[in-house]
């Protein structure tokens, strides 16, 4: 299983701090696309992704047990 | 002479040497809102040599909850933030050469200002300006500290040319319709938390304590008690057009900047984003209504009543700002709502 954490407005859109799903074998881009459809999320473009607290690329493959975090850039200041 | 800085000098990593370094440095701060208030006050109290700040906006009542440099009198007089901030910061520390510039932080203005700048502080409220700042920092080899927030959520990352990934490596493109303080609200502690992260890195950079500079991207949610540090060792993009070997500094190119046009005789400015967007007008309308903005709309546009202006937003991101002929003010209003 994989824990997927959401921050800022993605958290509001999903309605939970995190979900647990089986994402092993998928790329980060595939997982983004799947979640976007499932939760009717705002665009994932520019959303930064970390696997096990390390910045990762769209093409990275998720392994069993990995923790994924989606951090959308916010613009206020 | 250093009496007022004695407690900071007592802090071993700074010491007298560090204090002299701080004193010899010039900081450019883009924006003088909430992040600018926090960072500006800390750096001026720390005794930085020069602080140049740029802001295009004026003080309004809705700023006072979190923008610590300003008072009710500033809001009543609609004082430009650059003027009110300069005045307040000079009163805080007359040793510091504080210069406030009323203006839009365009690539031209920034190129003009960065000459002898040692550090740039991001205190802006939109990604278009941040991407320009990022390109300027890479082009002139100046460290800068990214900071942003909304609601109870904030993030910060120090960007050192030649060492760390840059903002364009992280985002790949200009984020569309980011959340802004005017659409999702903001609590003061979230901004302060970002400002303290930024100014702590600023002190390390100004005193040249390079080994102490944070290498992780920090983000936190003060309401949900979350704090995350992300390792960035894999974030640098070798093909990045802002910091890679084939760099072109895309955000300094006029083609990639939003276009503003004053519409003759209509007291209106048109703003066109650098590329076509696909804005969900319905959900933006819902968000704004929830914040008690007066919003009217149809499938093609959304009309938002603001204090003295009306903002009409089209689905492709184009907007008309009615009630002004001032391009900088119109851009400020646009980016306040659309990020």
């Amino acid at each position: 299983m994989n824990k997927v954490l959401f921050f800022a407005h993605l958290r509001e859109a999903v309605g939970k701090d995190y979900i647990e799903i089986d994402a092993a074998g998928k790329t980060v881009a595939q997982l983004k696309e799947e979640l976007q459809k499932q939760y009717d999320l705002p665009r994932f473009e520019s959303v930064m992704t970390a696997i096990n607290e390390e910045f990762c690329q769209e093409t990275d493959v998720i392994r069993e047990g990995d923790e994924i975090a989606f951090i959308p850039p916010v613009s206020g200041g | 002479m250093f009496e007022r800085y004695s407690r900071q000098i007592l802090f071993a990593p700074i010491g007298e040497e560090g204090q002299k370094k701080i004193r010899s440095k010039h900081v450019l701060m883009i924006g003088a809102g909430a992040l600018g208030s926090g960072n500006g006050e800390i750096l001026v109290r720390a005794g930085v040599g020069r602080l140049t700040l740029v802001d295009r906006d004026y003080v309004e009542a809705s700023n006072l909850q979190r923008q610590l440099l300003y008072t009710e009198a500033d809001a009543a007089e609609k004082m430009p933030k650059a003027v009110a901030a300069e005045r307040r910061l000079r009163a805080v520390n007359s040793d510091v050469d504080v210069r406030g510039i009323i203006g839009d932080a365009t690539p031209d203005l920034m190129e003009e200002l960065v000459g002898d700048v040692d550090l740039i502080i991001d205190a802006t409220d939109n990604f278009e300006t941040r991407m320009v700042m990022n390109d300027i920092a890479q082009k002139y080899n100046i460290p800068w500290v990214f900071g942003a927030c909304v609601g109870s959520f904030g993030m910060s990352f120090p960007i050192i040319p030649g060492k760390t990934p840059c903002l364009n490596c992280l985002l790949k493109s200009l984020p569309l319709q980011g959340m802004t303080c005017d659409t999702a609200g903001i609590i003061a502690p979230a901004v302060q938390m970002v400002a303290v992260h930024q100014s702590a890195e600023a002190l390390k950079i100004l005193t040249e304590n390079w080994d102490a500079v944070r290498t992780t991207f920090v983000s936190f949610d003060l309401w949900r008690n979350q704090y995350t540090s992300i390792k960035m060792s894999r974030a640098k993009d070798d093909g990045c057009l802002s910091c890679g070997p084939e760099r072109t500094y895309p955000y300094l190119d006029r083609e990639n900047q939003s276009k503003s046009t004053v519409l003759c005789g209509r007291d209106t400015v048109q703003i066109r984003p650098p590329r076509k967007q696909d804005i969900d007008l319905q959900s933006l309308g819902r968000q704004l209504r929830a914040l008690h903005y007066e919003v009217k709309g149809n499938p093609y546009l959304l009309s938002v009543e603001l204090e003295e202006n009306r903002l009409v937003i089209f689905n492709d991101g184009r907007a008309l700002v009615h009630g002004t002929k001032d391009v900088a003010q119109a851009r400020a209003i646009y980016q306040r709502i659309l990020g």
Side-chain angles (χ1 to χ4, degrees):
Chain A
M1 288 301 271
N2 300 92
K3 194 170 177 181
V4 182
L5 298 105
F6 300 98
F7 294 91
H9 61 271
L10 286 178
R11 193 222 162 265
E12 312 300 328
V14 174
K16 296 174 200 156
D17 289 349
Y18 66 90
I19 58 168
E20 299 212 53
I21 54 164
D22 182 14
K26 287 175 188 146
T27 65
V28 169
Q30 284 169 337
L31 177 63
K32 279 185 175 182
E33 202 185 323
E34 215 170 89
L35 293 171
Q36 186 169 16
K37 278 190 198 136
Q38 191 179 342
Y39 290 96
D40 190 23
L41 296 177
R43 266 169 305 230
F44 251 116
E45 211 178 304
S46 296
V47 169
M48 292 176 284
T49 312
I51 297 180
N52 303 328
E53 301 200 329
E54 181 162 7
F55 189 93
C56 67
Q57 306 293 341
E58 296 283 286
T59 48
D60 287 354
V61 177
I62 295 159
R63 290 160 310 177
E64 167 62 25
D66 280 350
E67 184 177 279
I68 300 108
F70 290 117
I71 303 174
V74 292
S75 72
Chain B
M1 160 195 186
F2 282 166
E3 173 57 25
R4 68 180 293 162
Y5 308 114
S6 58
R7 301 306 186 271
Q8 185 166 287
I9 289 169
L10 263 179
F11 179 67
I14 294 184
E16 276 202 31
E17 279 310 302
Q19 190 60 42
K20 281 182 196 148
K21 282 181 179 147
I22 294 175
R23 197 87 201 97
S24 70
K25 300 289 166 77
H26 181 190
V27 176
L28 173 64
M29 188 167 77
I30 305 297
L35 287 178
S37 288
N39 280 292
E41 180 152 348
I42 287 173
L43 292 176
V44 161
R45 286 189 190 274
V48 67
R50 288 167 68 198
L51 175 71
T52 302
L53 58 95
V54 179
D55 196 283
R56 61 188 174 190
D57 213 352
Y58 59 88
V59 183
E60 292 174 275
S62 66
N63 301 150
L64 300 178
Q65 154 256 7
R66 66 193 183 285
Q67 303 189 12
L68 305 186
L69 293 177
Y70 309 122
T71 62
E72 289 179 359
D74 295 324
E77 291 169 50
K78 293 188 169 36
M79 195 57 73
K81 290 182 184 175
V83 174
E86 179 188 296
R87 199 177 287 167
R88 168 71 186 152
L89 291 171
R90 284 187 173 185
V92 164
N93 190 347
S94 56
D95 288 351
V96 182
D97 180 5
V98 184
R99 185 172 159 222
I101 295 170
I102 308 172
D104 206 0
T106 58
D108 288 348
L109 179 61
M110 277 197 245
E111 297 225 30
E112 203 178 292
L113 295 175
V114 289
D116 61 350
V117 163
D118 299 289
L119 170 70
I120 305 173
I121 293 287
D122 167 19
T124 182
D125 62 358
N126 67 86
F127 274 105
E128 191 181 341
T129 310
R130 285 189 180 100
M131 288 303 218
V132 172
M133 202 184 306
N134 185 61
D135 274 0
I136 291 272
Q138 294 298 331
K139 185 171 173 186
Y140 293 93
N141 195 27
I142 304 167
W144 72 285
V145 190
F146 162 74
C149 50
V150 74
S152 55
F153 183 74
M155 46 177 55
S156 178
F157 181 58
I159 295 175
I160 319 287
K163 279 193 187 169
T164 68
C166 79
L167 191 63
N168 201 8
C169 293
L170 307 190
L171 302 179
K172 320 278 189 220
S173 63
L174 193 63
L176 301 175
Q177 212 188 330
M179 304 275 281
T180 77
C181 299
D182 287 68
T183 55
I186 177 77
I187 55 169
V191 207
Q192 292 305 316
M193 182 87 160
V194 175
V196 296
H197 276 86
Q198 289 181 287
S199 50
E201 297 314 311
L203 289 179
K204 296 173 190 174
I205 292 168
L206 294 174
T207 55
E208 298 164 28
N209 276 290
W210 297 104
D211 292 345
V213 175
R214 193 159 41 71
T215 55
T216 54
F217 185 104
V218 72
S219 68
F220 54 82
D221 189 325
L222 289 177
W223 211 257
R224 304 201 163 79
N225 311 311
Q226 290 164 328
Y227 192 93
T228 314
S229 293
I230 294 177
K231 292 188 211 71
M232 300 305 273
S233 41
R234 291 189 56 225
K236 200 162 171 63
D237 174 4
D238 292 334
C240 177
L241 292 177
S242 294
C243 74
E246 310 281 319
R247 55 179 76 185
T248 58
Y249 308 120
Y251 292 94
L252 302 185
D253 185 341
R254 273 174 211 288
E255 279 304 301
N256 289 327
Q257 290 159 32
S258 63
K259 311 284 186 304
S260 329
T261 325
V262 183
L263 301 185
C264 287
R266 286 188 58 195
D267 203 21
T268 297
V269 176
Q270 174 182 265
I271 311 251
R272 202 153 41 82
R275 59 195 169 103
K276 241 183 155 174
Q277 304 197 11
D278 179 18
I279 291 182
D280 184 346
L281 294 174
Q282 270 198 328
S283 77
L284 181 63
R286 271 198 306 274
Q287 262 178 40
L288 293 170
R289 273 190 202 98
L291 292 159
H292 307 292
Y293 283 101
E294 197 186 315
V295 181
K296 287 184 197 129
N298 59 43
Y300 313 101
L301 61 84
L302 198 68
S303 169
V304 190
E305 295 292 334
L306 303 163
E307 218 166 290
E308 283 161 17
N309 306 90
R310 185 156 47 92
L311 177 66
V312 178
I313 306 158
F314 296 85
N315 166 264
D316 62 359
R318 190 173 61 85
L320 299 172
V321 186
H322 298 292
T324 182
K325 291 186 184 72
D326 181 344
V327 168
Q329 193 197 351
R331 281 166 51 89
I333 290 167
Y334 180 88
Q335 290 178 338
R336 241 164 56 186
I337 300 293
L338 290 159

Coordinates of all heavy atoms in Angstrom, one line a residue, chain B residues 155-210:
Chain B
M155 N 5.3 28.0 2.3 CA 6.4 27.2 1.8 C 7.6 28.2 1.6 O 7.4 29.4 1.4 CB 6.1 26.5 0.5 CG 5.3 27.4 -0.5 SD 4.9 26.5 -2.0 CE 4.1 25.1 -1.5
S156 N 8.8 27.7 1.7 CA 10.0 28.5 1.4 C 11.1 27.6 1.0 O 11.2 26.5 1.3 CB 10.3 29.3 2.7 OG 11.5 30.0 2.4
F157 N 12.0 28.2 0.2 CA 13.2 27.5 -0.3 C 14.2 28.6 -0.8 O 13.9 29.5 -1.6 CB 12.8 26.6 -1.5 CG 13.9 25.8 -2.1 CD1 14.7 25.0 -1.3 CD2 14.3 26.0 -3.4 CE1 15.7 24.2 -1.8 CE2 15.3 25.2 -4.0 CZ 16.0 24.4 -3.2
P158 N 15.5 28.5 -0.2 CA 16.5 29.4 -0.7 C 17.1 28.9 -2.0 O 17.4 27.7 -2.1 CB 17.6 29.3 0.4 CG 17.3 28.1 1.2 CD 16.0 27.6 0.8
I159 N 17.3 29.8 -3.0 CA 17.7 29.4 -4.3 C 19.1 30.1 -4.5 O 19.2 31.3 -4.6 CB 16.7 29.8 -5.4 CG1 15.4 28.9 -5.2 CG2 17.3 29.5 -6.8 CD1 14.3 29.2 -6.1
I160 N 20.1 29.2 -4.6 CA 21.5 29.8 -4.8 C 22.0 29.4 -6.2 O 22.2 28.2 -6.5 CB 22.5 29.1 -3.8 CG1 21.9 29.1 -2.4 CG2 23.8 29.9 -3.8 CD1 21.7 30.3 -1.6
P161 N 22.2 30.3 -7.1 CA 22.6 30.0 -8.5 C 23.9 29.2 -8.4 O 24.8 29.4 -7.7 CB 22.8 31.4 -9.1 CG 21.9 32.3 -8.4 CD 21.9 31.8 -6.9
G162 N 23.9 28.1 -9.3 CA 25.1 27.3 -9.4 C 25.1 26.2 -8.3 O 25.9 25.2 -8.4
K163 N 24.2 26.3 -7.3 CA 24.2 25.2 -6.3 C 22.9 24.5 -6.2 O 22.9 23.3 -6.2 CB 24.5 25.9 -4.9 CG 25.9 26.2 -4.6 CD 26.0 26.6 -3.1 CE 27.4 27.0 -2.8 NZ 27.5 27.6 -1.4
T164 N 21.8 25.2 -6.1 CA 20.5 24.6 -5.9 C 19.7 24.5 -7.2 O 20.1 25.3 -8.1 CB 19.7 25.3 -4.8 OG1 19.3 26.6 -5.4 CG2 20.5 25.6 -3.5
P165 N 18.7 23.7 -7.2 CA 17.8 23.9 -8.3 C 17.1 25.2 -8.3 O 17.1 25.9 -7.2 CB 16.7 22.7 -8.1 CG 16.9 22.3 -6.7 CD 18.3 22.6 -6.3
C166 N 16.6 25.7 -9.4 CA 15.9 27.0 -9.4 C 14.4 26.8 -9.4 O 13.9 25.7 -9.5 CB 16.4 27.9 -10.5 SG 15.6 27.5 -12.1
L167 N 13.6 27.9 -9.3 CA 12.2 27.8 -9.3 C 11.6 27.2 -10.6 O 10.6 26.4 -10.5 CB 11.6 29.2 -9.0 CG 10.1 29.2 -8.7 CD1 9.8 28.4 -7.4 CD2 9.5 30.6 -8.6
N168 N 12.2 27.4 -11.7 CA 11.8 26.9 -12.9 C 12.0 25.4 -13.0 O 11.2 24.6 -13.6 CB 12.5 27.6 -14.1 CG 11.7 27.5 -15.4 OD1 10.6 27.0 -15.4 ND2 12.3 27.9 -16.5
C169 N 13.1 24.9 -12.4 CA 13.3 23.4 -12.3 C 12.2 22.8 -11.5 O 11.7 21.7 -11.8 CB 14.6 23.1 -11.5 SG 16.2 23.6 -12.2
L170 N 11.7 23.4 -10.5 CA 10.7 22.9 -9.6 C 9.3 22.9 -10.3 O 8.5 22.0 -10.1 CB 10.6 23.6 -8.3 CG 11.9 23.8 -7.5 CD1 11.5 24.3 -6.1 CD2 12.6 22.4 -7.4
L171 N 9.0 24.0 -10.9 CA 7.6 24.2 -11.4 C 7.4 23.9 -12.9 O 6.3 23.6 -13.3 CB 7.1 25.6 -11.1 CG 7.2 26.1 -9.7 CD1 6.7 27.5 -9.5 CD2 6.3 25.2 -8.8
K172 N 8.5 23.9 -13.6 CA 8.5 23.6 -15.1 C 7.8 24.6 -15.9 O 8.1 24.9 -17.1 CB 8.0 22.2 -15.4 CG 8.4 21.1 -14.5 CD 9.7 20.6 -14.8 CE 10.0 19.3 -14.0 NZ 11.3 19.3 -13.4
S173 N 6.7 25.2 -15.4 CA 6.0 26.2 -16.1 C 5.3 27.1 -15.1 O 5.3 26.8 -13.9 CB 4.9 25.5 -17.0 OG 4.0 24.9 -16.2
L174 N 4.8 28.2 -15.6 CA 4.1 29.2 -14.8 C 2.8 28.6 -14.2 O 2.0 28.2 -15.0 CB 3.8 30.4 -15.6 CG 3.4 31.7 -14.9 CD1 4.5 32.2 -14.0 CD2 3.0 32.7 -15.9
P175 N 2.7 28.4 -12.9 CA 1.5 27.8 -12.4 C 0.2 28.6 -12.8 O 0.3 29.9 -12.8 CB 1.6 27.8 -10.9 CG 3.1 28.0 -10.7 CD 3.6 28.8 -11.8
L176 N -0.8 28.0 -13.2 CA -2.0 28.7 -13.5 C -2.9 28.8 -12.3 O -3.1 27.9 -11.5 CB -2.8 27.9 -14.6 CG -2.0 27.6 -15.9 CD1 -2.8 26.7 -16.8 CD2 -1.6 28.9 -16.6
Q177 N -3.5 29.9 -12.3 CA -4.6 30.2 -11.2 C -4.2 29.6 -9.9 O -4.9 28.8 -9.3 CB -5.9 29.5 -11.7 CG -7.1 30.3 -11.2 CD -8.4 29.5 -11.5 OE1 -8.4 28.8 -12.4 NE2 -9.4 29.7 -10.6
G178 N -3.0 30.1 -9.3 CA -2.6 29.7 -8.0 C -3.6 30.2 -7.0 O -4.3 31.1 -7.3
M179 N -3.6 29.6 -5.8 CA -4.5 30.1 -4.7 C -3.9 31.4 -4.2 O -2.7 31.5 -4.0 CB -4.5 29.2 -3.6 CG -4.9 27.8 -4.0 SD -6.7 27.7 -4.0 CE -7.0 27.5 -2.2
T180 N -4.7 32.5 -4.1 CA -4.1 33.7 -3.5 C -4.8 34.1 -2.2 O -5.8 33.5 -1.9 CB -4.4 34.9 -4.5 OG1 -5.7 35.3 -4.4 CG2 -4.1 34.5 -6.0
C181 N -4.2 35.0 -1.5 CA -4.8 35.4 -0.2 C -6.1 36.1 -0.4 O -7.0 36.1 0.5 CB -3.8 36.4 0.5 SG -2.2 35.7 0.8
D182 N -6.4 36.6 -1.6 CA -7.7 37.3 -1.8 C -8.8 36.3 -2.2 O -9.9 36.6 -2.3 CB -7.5 38.3 -2.9 CG -6.8 39.6 -2.4 OD1 -5.6 39.4 -2.1 OD2 -7.4 40.6 -2.2
T183 N -8.4 35.1 -2.6 CA -9.4 34.1 -2.9 C -9.5 33.0 -1.9 O -10.6 32.4 -1.8 CB -9.1 33.4 -4.3 OG1 -7.8 32.8 -4.3 CG2 -9.2 34.4 -5.4
A184 N -8.5 32.7 -1.1 CA -8.6 31.6 -0.2 C -8.3 32.1 1.3 O -8.3 31.3 2.2 CB -7.6 30.5 -0.5
G185 N -8.0 33.4 1.4 CA -7.8 33.9 2.8 C -6.4 33.6 3.3 O -5.6 32.9 2.6
I186 N -6.1 34.2 4.4 CA -4.7 34.0 4.9 C -4.8 34.4 6.4 O -5.4 35.3 6.8 CB -3.7 34.9 4.2 CG1 -2.3 34.8 4.8 CG2 -4.1 36.4 4.2 CD1 -1.5 33.6 4.4
I187 N -4.1 33.6 7.3 CA -3.9 34.0 8.7 C -2.5 34.5 8.9 O -1.6 34.0 8.3 CB -4.3 32.8 9.7 CG1 -3.4 31.6 9.4 CG2 -5.8 32.5 9.6 CD1 -3.5 30.5 10.5
A188 N -2.4 35.5 9.7 CA -1.1 36.2 9.9 C 0.0 35.2 10.3 O 1.1 35.4 9.8 CB -1.3 37.3 10.9
P189 N -0.2 34.2 11.2 CA 0.9 33.4 11.6 C 1.5 32.6 10.4 O 2.7 32.4 10.4 CB 0.3 32.4 12.6 CG -1.0 33.1 13.1 CD -1.4 33.9 12.0
A190 N 0.7 32.3 9.4 CA 1.2 31.6 8.3 C 2.2 32.4 7.5 O 3.3 31.9 7.1 CB 0.1 31.1 7.4
V191 N 1.9 33.7 7.3 CA 2.9 34.6 6.6 C 4.1 34.8 7.5 O 5.2 34.8 6.9 CB 2.3 36.0 6.4 CG1 2.9 36.6 5.2 CG2 0.8 36.0 6.3
Q192 N 3.9 35.0 8.8 CA 5.1 35.2 9.6 C 6.0 34.0 9.6 O 7.2 34.2 9.6 CB 4.6 35.5 11.1 CG 3.9 36.8 11.2 CD 4.7 38.0 10.8 OE1 5.8 38.1 11.0 NE2 4.0 38.9 10.0
M193 N 5.4 32.9 9.6 CA 6.2 31.6 9.6 C 7.0 31.6 8.3 O 8.2 31.1 8.3 CB 5.3 30.4 9.7 CG 6.0 29.1 9.7 SD 6.4 28.6 11.4 CE 6.6 26.9 11.2
V194 N 6.5 32.0 7.2 CA 7.2 32.0 5.9 C 8.3 33.0 6.0 O 9.5 32.8 5.7 CB 6.3 32.3 4.7 CG1 7.2 32.4 3.4 CG2 5.3 31.1 4.5
A195 N 8.0 34.2 6.5 CA 8.9 35.3 6.6 C 10.1 35.0 7.5 O 11.2 35.3 7.2 CB 8.2 36.6 7.1
V196 N 9.8 34.2 8.6 CA 11.0 33.9 9.5 C 11.9 32.8 8.8 O 13.1 32.9 9.0 CB 10.6 33.4 10.9 CG1 9.9 34.6 11.7 CG2 9.7 32.2 10.9
H197 N 11.3 31.9 8.1 CA 12.1 31.0 7.3 C 13.0 31.7 6.3 O 14.2 31.4 6.2 CB 11.2 29.9 6.6 CG 10.9 28.8 7.5 ND1 9.8 28.8 8.3 CD2 11.4 27.6 7.7 CE1 9.7 27.7 9.0 NE2 10.7 26.9 8.6
Q198 N 12.4 32.7 5.6 CA 13.1 33.4 4.6 C 14.2 34.3 5.3 O 15.4 34.3 4.8 CB 12.2 34.4 3.9 CG 11.2 33.7 2.9 CD 10.4 34.7 2.2 OE1 9.5 35.3 2.8 NE2 10.7 34.9 0.9
S199 N 13.9 35.0 6.4 CA 14.9 35.9 6.9 C 16.0 35.1 7.7 O 17.1 35.6 7.7 CB 14.2 36.9 7.8 OG 13.3 36.4 8.7
A200 N 15.7 33.9 8.2 CA 16.8 33.1 8.8 C 17.8 32.8 7.7 O 19.0 32.9 7.9 CB 16.2 31.9 9.4
E201 N 17.3 32.3 6.5 CA 18.2 32.0 5.4 C 18.9 33.3 4.9 O 20.1 33.2 4.6 CB 17.4 31.4 4.2 CG 16.8 30.0 4.6 CD 17.7 29.0 5.3 OE1 18.8 28.8 4.9 OE2 17.2 28.5 6.4
A202 N 18.2 34.4 5.0 CA 18.8 35.6 4.5 C 20.0 36.0 5.4 O 21.1 36.3 5.0 CB 17.8 36.8 4.6
L203 N 19.9 35.8 6.8 CA 21.0 36.1 7.7 C 22.2 35.2 7.4 O 23.3 35.6 7.5 CB 20.5 36.0 9.1 CG 19.6 37.1 9.6 CD1 19.2 36.8 11.1 CD2 20.2 38.4 9.5
K204 N 21.9 33.9 7.1 CA 23.0 32.9 6.8 C 23.7 33.4 5.5 O 24.9 33.4 5.5 CB 22.4 31.5 6.6 CG 21.8 30.9 7.8 CD 21.1 29.6 7.4 CE 20.2 29.1 8.6 NZ 19.5 27.9 8.1
I205 N 22.9 33.8 4.5 CA 23.5 34.2 3.2 C 24.3 35.5 3.4 O 25.4 35.6 2.9 CB 22.4 34.3 2.2 CG1 21.8 32.9 1.8 CG2 23.0 34.9 0.9 CD1 20.6 32.9 1.0
L206 N 23.7 36.4 4.1 CA 24.4 37.7 4.3 C 25.7 37.6 5.1 O 26.6 38.3 4.8 CB 23.5 38.7 4.9 CG 22.2 39.1 4.1 CD1 21.3 40.0 4.9 CD2 22.6 39.8 2.8
T207 N 25.7 36.7 6.0 CA 26.9 36.5 6.8 C 27.8 35.4 6.2 O 28.9 35.0 6.8 CB 26.6 36.1 8.3 OG1 25.8 34.9 8.2 CG2 25.8 37.1 9.0
E208 N 27.5 34.9 5.0 CA 28.2 34.0 4.3 C 28.5 32.7 5.0 O 29.5 32.0 4.9 CB 29.6 34.6 3.8 CG 29.3 35.8 2.9 CD 30.5 36.7 2.7 OE1 31.7 36.2 2.8 OE2 30.4 37.9 2.4
N209 N 27.5 32.3 5.9 CA 27.5 31.0 6.5 C 26.9 30.0 5.6 O 25.8 29.4 5.8 CB 26.7 31.0 7.8 CG 27.5 31.6 9.0 OD1 28.4 30.9 9.5 ND2 27.2 32.8 9.4
W210 N 27.6 29.7 4.4 CA 27.0 28.9 3.4 C 26.6 27.5 3.8 O 25.6 27.0 3.3 CB 27.9 28.9 2.1 CG 28.1 30.3 1.6 CD1 29.2 31.1 1.7 CD2 27.1 31.1 0.8 NE1 29.0 32.3 1.1 CE2 27.8 32.3 0.6 CE3 25.8 30.9 0.4 CZ2 27.1 33.3 -0.1 CZ3 25.2 31.9 -0.3 CH2 25.8 33.1 -0.6

